[in-house]
Amino acid sequence: MSIEDVITGWDGSLVATRYDRETGAFFVVAIHSRERGPAAGGTRVKQYDSYADAVTDATRLAGAMTLKMAAADLPMGGGKAVIALPAPRRELADDHWRRILELHAENLKTLGGSYWTGPDLGTSSADMDVVCGFGAPAFGRSEAAGGSGSSAPATALGVHVAIVASAAEVGIDDLAGCRIAVQGLGAVGMEVVELARKDGAHLIVTDIDPVLCERAAALGAEVVPPDAILGVESDVFSPCAVGGVIDVDVARTIRTRAVVGSANNVLTDTAAGDELARRGIVLAPDFVASGGGAIHLIGREVLGWTAEEVATHVEGIADTLREVFVRSRVGGISHDHAARDLADERLGRAGSRV
């Protein structure tokens, strides 16, 4: 698919791209919606097979952020930034990486405050300190730089809240002994493991990084190869790595009772959600379950909430999911469709489809 195909088939507001010969980096900023306020979403950094793939990722993630902000009832729209690197991040010299962040900040400043960024896959609070230092709007700066720090703990807390609510929906009232399969042991996934471990859950985990797997094993988790996790029998499958994990074929065969994770766009399409519903598998839509990070960043840095107020709003993810589950039962629709309808209503466009 070409960049032209991606953009002409997208329902968002704006896509801005830039290629820099000096650094070899390709930049994308996608603004999906500003209906509830300035667009917001993290900066994802990785290598892509093509620039079209980078644009595709940015546009899909921006749309997901619109849903996430609406589902969490936050006063921001949806956007996303992607930086396609010429080499793995670990191979870039510090000055090379800093120049890329400087260029990224330049790009954001041209948008005049219509898009605010933050940390995402491949970026950190320290990176947001640099971006903000160059004059661009950025959430998630370190506390030392006046920000609210990492959103990962709040994201993980929201996923844990969603796991508890989803488990209850399938008749599991106590996570002790509950089999939870976690895919991805980054900052969020590992925190989910820690929280579920305290509940006494039986954890089956995987990651491409053996060091992270060893750390999880030391916590008592059962480690399986990355290509085996989708075949594991579990009560809850928690995808906390990249999106696009569940297509129709996986939805037909996955051996779990509930899908609850932090990965954005975990379904390849709505048909996968329909198949999960047909099989009676509970889905906590990712744009609801992973909303804790956005609640933390916007709550602390825009709305002036205390840490306690943020935690209360993150716990409210359970109420949103319960509403989604009721809508699904009453309407005879999938959990994915029910959550999208709820987000549409909060966007003031009931009957549309984001």
Side-chain angles (χ1 to χ4, degrees), residues 21-286:
R21 288 187 178 85
E22 174 196 355
T23 61
F26 179 74
F27 302 83
V28 186
V29 177
I31 295 177
H32 182 263
S33 170
R34 292 188 295 156
E35 291 179 60
R36 295 178 64 89
T43 294
R44 178 161 296 197
V45 174
K46 55 179 284 190
Q47 288 184 281
Y48 288 88
D49 291 336
S50 70
Y51 294 151
D53 286 348
V55 174
T56 298
D57 207 17
T59 53
R60 290 197 68 209
L61 291 167
M65 288 305 301
T66 294
L67 294 172
K68 184 178 295 188
M69 296 299 179
D73 207 15
L74 295 170
M76 303 291 285
K80 205 74 174 183
V82 159
I83 303 175
L85 295 178
R89 169 68 183 90
R90 64 182 178 275
E91 296 180 8
L92 301 181
D94 290 345
D95 58 344
H96 188 173
W97 174 237
R98 184 176 177 83
R99 177 58 179 158
I100 289 173
L101 291 178
E102 181 180 11
L103 292 169
H104 184 42
E106 287 180 7
N107 299 337
L108 301 189
K109 286 189 290 184
T110 66
L111 298 174
S114 60
Y115 167 71
W116 285 61
T117 197
D120 195 82
L121 179 70
T123 53
S124 65
S125 289
D127 295 325
M128 294 306 106
D129 290 350
V130 175
V131 170
C132 190
F134 284 119
F139 292 117
R141 290 171 291 138
S142 67
E143 293 183 21
S148 59
S150 173
S151 61
T155 303
L157 175 60
V159 172
H160 181 260
V161 166
I163 288 173
V164 172
S166 300
E169 181 68 9
V170 299
I172 300 172
D173 295 322
D174 186 347
L175 294 187
C178 180
R179 290 175 61 86
I180 300 177
V182 180
Q183 181 187 47
L185 297 172
V188 174
M190 190 65 78
E191 184 71 16
V192 170
V193 167
E194 294 265 16
L195 292 170
R197 172 175 170 265
K198 293 176 182 176
D199 296 321
H202 177 80
L203 291 151
I204 309 100
V205 305
T206 195
D207 196 279
I208 59 173
D209 186 337
V211 173
L212 294 176
C213 289
E214 289 175 9
R215 179 180 164 193
L219 295 173
E222 175 187 347
V223 178
V224 300
D227 60 359
I229 194 71
L230 290 175
V232 167
E233 184 175 357
S234 65
D235 295 303
V236 178
F237 171 58
S238 185
C240 295
V242 296
V245 174
I246 299 178
D247 59 16
V248 171
D249 290 337
V250 171
R252 287 176 182 145
T253 59
I254 191 168
R255 297 189 297 163
T256 194
R257 301 173 70 185
V259 176
V260 191
S262 65
N264 291 315
N265 294 323
V266 68
L267 303 179
T268 58
D269 51 35
T270 56
D274 292 341
E275 180 60 22
L276 291 177
R278 186 192 69 78
R279 293 184 60 208
I281 296 173
V282 166
L283 172 70
D286 51 83

Side-chain angles (χ1 to χ4, degrees), residues 303-322:
L303 301 174
W305 291 343
T306 64
E308 292 74 20
E309 288 172 316
V310 167
T312 297
H313 281 82
V314 172
E315 293 286 346
I317 287 173
D319 295 329
T320 301
L321 281 176
R322 283 190 281 268

